[in-house]
Amino acid sequence: MAPPAWPISPKADNPERKLAASPDTNASPTRRAVTLFTNATKRAVTLLARSKTGNNEESSSTVPAKARDANKPVKATSPQTTTPMARFKTGKNKGSPPAAAEARDDENSPAEANAGGLDALVESLKTGSVEAAGALYILSSDRDKTVTIAQTGVIDPLVKLVTQTDDIEGRTVAAKVLCNLSANSANDVALAGAGAIEALTDLLKTGSIEGRIVAAKSLRNLAGNDDNELAVVQAGAIGPLVDLVRTGSAEGQTAAAEALVNLSANDDHLAAVVSAGAIPALVEVLKKGCDKGKAEAARALCNLCANEDATRLMVVRAGALPLLVRLLRKGDSDGKNAAARALRNIAAPG
């Protein structure tokens, strides 16, 4: 029995996505673009000048008022253009059943498996059955059933199938089930405890093209849980994620960028993300990626620029500034939103 297709896609109106308020919403798009570009350019010039002189101190014109001499009057500055925004964190991907699922034979149909054959599928999976993994993938596409499925003991054999089989297709199908299970936060602890993060990271490094995309989406989901972020980093996922951003298909670039968005939302992981070469890879996606990829790349760069001037300088030197402005002017709504916030963070004082 051939494994099902894999049409997993992000939920369009995901309530878990945490976004800051849109900057300067009363301004016209053109005026807003000019303001953001002007502020970011001024900041970039300041950072470049400081890097050449070796001066790490902020000039008096850009130091926040609270750091200046209390006896000297200062001009008020707009928080919309100088205060770093809250970072992005993406929600979870949700699976959906294959269109051809209803055409499957009665013996292996999702309806029969759901009615009374789930335990049998799990037992079959323990023997390494790829067909059982395919049937479980269809069932797990219903988010309401993912907790019940996870509680049957399915996670351990899925992790084993991902890590201990030479069957490339089998590894990928098992990972698809893990991806669907990871779309429900209630399964995060069980997945991490069973070694799913390490198994998926290995698939990200050594899997097929499709397998690497599945792994990136799964890790993106798991990294949305604050408790799992460190485990993803310690498993060594950042480097392979950056490599997928650099060399993957449009879907692969987008999935990996989404995972980096979640990891870069935590200050503790910024150095690892930057040192893995994420900035030039993300800038390249801004230049040549698909619309969704550009938006996710801008979100990741936004997070990276939230606090550190040194990182902002690297982003500017990588050529992100004109690409962000182009995305702000010509991108879709998500891209414009992300670009505006990234430009705000570049313009913010350190």
Side-chain angles (χ1 to χ4, degrees):
M1 181 176 64
W6 186 53
I8 289 178
S9 60
K11 189 176 180 181
D13 56 347
N14 199 316
E16 299 179 46
R17 181 165 287 175
K18 304 173 185 177
L19 306 179
S22 179
D24 200 11
T25 53
N26 293 325
S28 68
T30 301
R31 181 181 175 186
R32 193 172 119 192
V34 170
T35 299
L36 288 166
F37 174 70
T38 301
N39 291 332
T41 301
K42 288 179 179 178
R43 184 63 177 153
V45 169
T46 300
L47 292 172
L48 290 169
R50 286 169 55 196
S51 70
K52 291 179 180 179
T53 61
N55 179 12
N56 293 322
E57 298 298 324
E58 192 73 65
S59 67
S60 61
S61 62
T62 55
V63 174
K66 64 181 181 180
R68 296 185 186 172
D69 188 332
N71 296 321
K72 294 182 179 180
V74 295
K75 294 182 179 180
T77 54
S78 169
Q80 292 180 338
T81 58
T82 62
T83 302
M85 53 158 274
R87 287 194 172 119
F88 284 99
K89 194 131 190 198
T90 65
K92 289 176 177 278
N93 273 324
K94 179 182 177 182
S96 57
E102 296 178 357
R104 301 172 68 88
D105 59 90
D106 293 338
E107 180 181 357
N108 296 300
S109 69
E112 182 170 327
N114 190 39
L118 185 56
D119 289 340
L121 283 175
V122 175
E123 290 303 313
S124 180
L125 182 66
K126 290 178 181 179
T127 67
S129 170
V130 177
E131 288 77 10
L136 285 166
Y137 160 63
I138 297 172
L139 291 175
S140 64
S141 295
D142 183 344
R143 192 170 189 168
D144 294 335
K145 294 183 174 67
T146 55
V147 173
T148 300
I149 292 172
Q151 290 174 345
T152 63
V154 72
I155 295 178
D156 284 336
L158 285 170
V159 170
K160 182 177 180 180
L161 189 58
V162 171
T163 56
Q164 297 185 9
T165 179
D166 294 329
D167 184 347
I168 296 176
E169 185 178 47
R171 297 182 74 192
T172 302
V173 174
K176 290 175 183 178
V177 185
L178 292 176
C179 184
N180 280 355
L181 296 181
S182 71
N184 192 322
S185 298
N187 295 324
D188 285 349
V189 173
L191 288 165
I197 291 174
E198 293 77 10
L200 291 164
T201 300
D202 182 66
L203 182 64
L204 181 65
K205 296 175 181 177
T206 64
S208 64
I209 294 174
E210 184 185 15
R212 294 175 70 201
I213 295 173
V214 179
K217 288 191 175 186
S218 304
L219 291 170
R220 177 255 201 189
N221 286 348
L222 291 167
N225 181 317
D226 292 342
D227 294 333
N228 286 340
E229 284 179 3
L230 181 59
V232 173
V233 174
Q234 290 179 335
I238 291 178
L241 285 170
V242 171
D243 185 59
L244 188 58
V245 171
R246 186 182 298 114
T247 64
S249 64
E251 185 181 11
Q253 289 178 331
T254 301
E258 286 177 326
L260 291 175
V261 169
N262 281 350
L263 294 175
S264 62
N266 188 325
D267 282 343
D268 294 340
H269 312 319
L270 291 182
V273 173
V274 172
S275 64
I279 291 174
L282 291 166
V283 170
E284 190 65 19
V285 175
L286 274 182
K287 184 184 300 183
K288 300 179 180 179
C290 64
D291 288 345
K292 177 64 173 173
K294 288 177 180 178
E296 296 304 331
R299 288 186 173 103
L301 291 170
C302 173
N303 286 355
L304 293 174
C305 291
N307 289 324
E308 296 293 331
D309 273 352
T311 306
R312 292 181 184 124
L313 180 59
M314 292 176 67
V315 170
V316 169
R317 283 178 166 168
L321 195 56
L323 298 172
L324 288 168
V325 172
R326 183 178 71 179
L327 185 60
L328 180 65
R329 293 179 58 241
K330 299 183 178 181
D332 61 17
S333 59
D334 285 344
K336 289 178 179 179
N337 182 284
R341 286 157 170 74
L343 287 167
R344 286 179 61 204
N345 277 3
I346 291 173

